[in-house]
Amino acid sequence: DGLTRPAKLVIVNEKEALLTITEGKYHQVKRMLAAVGNKVTKLHRESVGAIELDANLAVGEWRYLTDAEIKSVK
């Protein structure tokens, strides 16, 4: 898919890292890590733009976005 914007990587431990990207091309994270000899076995999205994952939601649960969240992505 060509070049992507720069990413920020923080190594948490031998098997975990925090990766911040500003765009999400098709399987970008998996492809970036595969390029340096690693395999993604689990991926967790913490936020999309200014919208952060609601820690009160259970797995598979959802909620409507607030008006402020909707306006933040425009």
Side-chain angles (χ1 to χ4, degrees), residues 46 51-58 61-64 69:
E46 291 185 358
I51 303 171
E52 294 188 6
L53 180 67
D54 189 335
N56 296 320
L57 293 177
E61 195 175 15
W62 62 276
R63 65 168 178 80
Y64 289 104
E69 289 170 331

Side-chain angles (χ1 to χ4, degrees), residues 19 21 25-34 40 43:
L19 180 66
I21 58 175
K25 293 192 175 188
Y26 183 73
H27 290 275
Q28 177 180 345
V29 172
K30 292 178 182 179
R31 291 167 41 188
M32 289 169 66
L33 292 170
V40 175
L43 192 59

